[in-house]
Each structure stands twice: as structure tokens, then as C-alpha cells.
Amino acid sequence: MKFFIDTANLDQIKEAQDLGVLDGVTTNPSLMAKEGIKGEENIKQHYVDICDIVDGDVSAEVIATDFEGMISEGEELAALHPQIVVKVPCTKNGIKAVKYLSTKGIRTNCTLIFSVGQALLAAKAGATYVSPFVGRLDDISTDGIELIRQIVDMNSYYGFETQVLAASIRHTMHMIQCVEAGADVATCPLNAITGLLKHPLTDNGLEQFLADYNKLNG
């Protein structure tokens, strides 16, 4: 499973990249705003800065909600850097935009997926990624991980090449569950990735190894 970090914070992206396991980055307007990135040119430059740090795909989201606007923004974003994947919401115009952009060779990430039906439409339109939102479904007492599993099964059954990018990951357990569900990618905060390192037996074992060494060599 690929690890993407869901942030616009360059320091966190660098830390994840330095860990050696980062495969890409996802962003959205809310994450850009959180970092105080505003203004069209500043936002575009920030995307380029992110691409300069990582080796993999970087999802950059359109703001427009109309078809023509999505196409215009999508083409501009894709032209910024070869690693850019255009993120488009799963709406009627969004699906049309995914189809158009895919026929032009522009990779897309269809986001705000909350059902198998939405994922099906996005896959048929040629989306590179679909992004089901695990945490937001959990918030309304719906099983987000089960949706991941259903979409993975659908893609396998019908042979869709669209990758399942599990989004709205809240914690490390979500990461493990995404592995078990067969997600192609999980995008999450940095602490969900580093949380995979934590285990009390590792800490205790290392402490014992060092203590034994110091007894003989201290």
C-alpha cells in the first residue's frame, strides 16, 4: 500500500519524505488555508514546491464547480508539474471533467466519494484515483472501511485500473484497516504514519538491549 501525506505543510512533507516511505501528497483548499497560503499564484507555487520535495504524485484540487471552470483549472494545474494529479469532486460536472481530462492524458483524483456508485462512475470516467472518505463516514455511524473494501472488490471484479485512495484517515488503526481492506493508497496526517512505528515491546526490547550492553561495556 502506498503512503500519501494529507497536508500542505512543507516541514511535515519533508519529514515524511526523509522517513523514506512517502509515495505522494494530497492537498485541498482547507489544508492550503490552514498554512496561510492564499492568492492564485502563491497556491500554484506551493504546489510546485511540494513537487520539488517528493518523488510521487501530488493531488491539487480545482475550486470551480462548473464543467468549463474545472477543465480550465485542471489543465492549468496539470501544466505546473508532471507529478500533479488534478483532484475533482464527485459531482455531475466533476465526472464529466474527469472523463474530459482523462482523454487528454491528464491524471485525476475523484474526491468526496461516499458510495460504491460514485466510485463506479469515477472509474468508468477514467479516474486515476478515487478517494473514499473513511473518517467522515465513521462520523455518521457508517463503516468507512467497509466502503473501501467494497470499492476494492468492485475494481478487481471489473478490472478497473482506478486506484482506491483511502482518505479522511484519522488514526493509525485506520491505516491498518486500509491494509486489510486492500486499499491501493492511504492518505493521512503525519502522525498516522509515524504511529505505525509505536509498540511497547519494541521500546522495552531496545531498553533491555542497551541496559545489557552497558552492564558489560559501561
Side-chain angles (χ1 to χ4, degrees):
M1 186 177 73
K2 297 178 184 177
F3 286 167
F4 286 9
I5 187 171
D6 192 36
T7 186
N9 184 287
L10 297 183
D11 290 336
Q12 291 183 8
I13 294 170
K14 289 176 183 175
E15 183 176 346
Q17 177 69 11
D18 289 344
L19 191 59
V21 298
L22 188 64
D23 298 295
V25 176
T26 55
T27 63
N28 59 49
S30 296
L31 293 173
M32 283 289 189
K34 184 178 179 180
E35 299 303 319
I37 311 299
K38 57 184 179 180
E40 184 176 346
E41 292 308 312
N42 289 333
I43 291 173
K44 288 181 179 179
Q45 183 57 51
H46 201 74
Y47 284 134
V48 174
D49 292 342
I50 292 173
C51 290
D52 288 341
I53 296 172
V54 301
D55 299 321
D57 292 343
V58 175
S59 286
E61 189 162 347
V62 301
I63 303 300
T65 57
D66 62 296
F67 173 72
E68 290 78 9
M70 289 181 179
I71 294 305
S72 177
E73 284 186 40
E75 290 176 334
E76 288 181 8
L77 289 170
L80 291 175
H81 198 282
Q83 291 168 228
I84 293 288
V85 176
V86 179
K87 189 189 282 190
V88 179
C90 189
T91 61
K92 182 177 180 180
N93 286 330
I95 293 297
K96 290 170 62 178
V98 167
K99 181 63 175 180
Y100 177 88
L101 293 170
S102 65
T103 61
K104 299 296 181 181
I106 295 175
R107 295 176 302 145
T108 56
N109 176 356
C110 194
T111 190
L112 292 170
I113 297 285
F114 294 98
S115 72
V116 173
Q118 289 177 319
L120 173 62
L121 292 175
K124 287 181 67 64
T128 309
Y129 299 99
V130 291
S131 290
F133 277 40
V134 173
R136 294 196 191 185
L137 283 170
D138 287 358
D139 288 344
I140 59 168
S141 301
T142 301
D143 192 342
I145 294 296
E146 179 59 26
L147 176 61
I148 300 295
R149 187 174 292 108
Q150 290 171 352
I151 297 173
V152 168
D153 288 346
M154 177 191 73
N155 284 355
S156 176
Y157 185 85
Y158 290 108
F160 291 130
E161 296 183 0
T162 301
Q163 297 182 56
V164 180
L165 194 164
S168 187
I169 301 295
R170 300 286 173 78
H171 45 70
T172 300
M173 192 60 208
H174 271 160
M175 298 287 283
I176 300 301
Q177 291 171 326
C178 284
V179 171
E180 294 170 345
D184 299 291
V185 189
T187 187
C188 59
L190 178 60
N191 62 4
I193 297 176
T194 57
L196 294 169
L197 290 167
K198 298 178 182 178
H199 198 288
L201 293 180
T202 302
D203 297 337
N204 293 341
L206 181 58
E207 182 179 353
Q208 185 63 54
F209 292 158
L210 293 175
D212 290 343
Y213 175 84
N214 289 330
K215 286 178 183 178
L216 297 176
N217 301 280

